[in-house]
Amino acid sequence: MRISIFHGVHDLSAALARDLVDRLHRTPALILGLPTGRTPLHFYRCLVTLSTEGHADFSRATTFNLDEFLGVAPEQAGSYQQYMERHFFRHINIDRRQIHFLNGAAPSADAECARYEADIAAAGGIDLQVLGIGANGHIGFNEPGEHLAARTHRVILRPETRRANAAPFGGDPNNVPTEALSMGMATILQARSIALMATGAEKAECVAEMTRGPLTTRLPASFLQLHPDVHVMLDEAAARRIR
Ligand code: PGA
């Protein structure tokens, strides 16, 4: 794992946005895997600025988002699709047909997960997967537990994950869906390149475990150690337990 430590979230986000835009220059039809959550908000702001200023052309890019809440329709407030619209997609020149999401309201969750895997494969696989990390060590919604799913799957969210996602659901964790659909560990690890962003002291412990600890389903992010091209991008607070 390559680890970079930045002064703060602004520097980190700007560096990752520049890296992504450089890749886009080299490969205009870039296939991106994208996260949601609080951490990437400034990263999306940087990308929008670069795009508005004419430095980034997303017209040939393709995106696949990592996960979506089960039972939440794409147009519903609280869906990750709405998050991405608000913070990123409506501000850039991406071809709408190239935006891919798991549909949390699909009639069959299993069929929807299989459809997503097939769409990623048909696109040729993900070039750059951007990730956040939960304080419990999850990536996407691959929650810590006895086992991990390899492929895109239906997952039961842990209480701490529902608490962390309460904001778009009126601040009440009880309103957060109990289940979600998420790319699996193998889906994520098949991306050709991975960039993981983590900021804040509450991520320091899981970040340290992820980089030096054993591979364990108790800390899904630890499996990133298997990947040959992972860039871990941290602010000083998230890096403080790394020796
Ligand atoms: P956060 O979420 O950026 O809101 O902390 C990260 C994650 O759960 O992957």
Side-chain angles (χ1 to χ4, degrees), residues 118-129:
D119 284 358
I120 294 171
I126 291 168
D127 293 312
L128 174 66
Q129 175 68 58

Side-chain angles (χ1 to χ4, degrees), residues 2 15 34 37 88 98 133 151 170 178 194 200 211:
R2 184 156 65 95
L34 295 175
F88 191 38
Q98 303 289 76
I133 181 171
R151 293 295 164 190
T178 54
I194 296 176
T211 54

Side-chain angles (χ1 to χ4, degrees), residues 135-215:
N136 69 4
H138 75 209
I139 50 174
F141 274 138
N142 292 282
E143 296 279 47
E146 291 296 317
H147 56 260
L148 286 170
R151 293 295 164 190
T152 302
H153 61 292
R154 178 174 182 164
V155 61
I156 296 173
L157 299 176
R158 292 180 56 98
E160 64 270 21
T161 298
R162 294 178 69 211
R163 280 198 296 276
N165 281 280
F169 294 95
D172 183 353
N174 294 312
N175 294 339
V176 179
T178 54
E179 292 180 84
L181 304 177
S182 177
M183 283 187 198
M185 291 304 297
T187 322
I188 291 171
L189 289 170
Q190 270 177 352
R192 287 180 271 283
S193 195
I194 296 176
L196 181 142
M197 325 170 67
T199 60
E202 80 272 16
K203 305 284 172 72
E205 196 59 52
C206 71
V207 162
E209 287 296 314
M210 165 186 81
T211 54
R212 67 158 186 246
L215 305 193

Side-chain angles (χ1 to χ4, degrees), residues 17 23 36 60 65 78 81 108 134 145 165 173 199 229 232 234-235 237:
R23 291 171 192 259
T36 47
R60 293 183 57 202
N65 262 81
Q81 196 152 331
S108 159
N165 281 280
T199 60
D229 182 10
V232 177
L234 309 171
D235 71 353

Side-chain angles (χ1 to χ4, degrees), residues 100-115:
H100 298 269
F101 263 96
L102 282 155
N103 179 355
S108 159
D110 288 347
E112 178 62 3
C113 293
R115 191 262 318 158

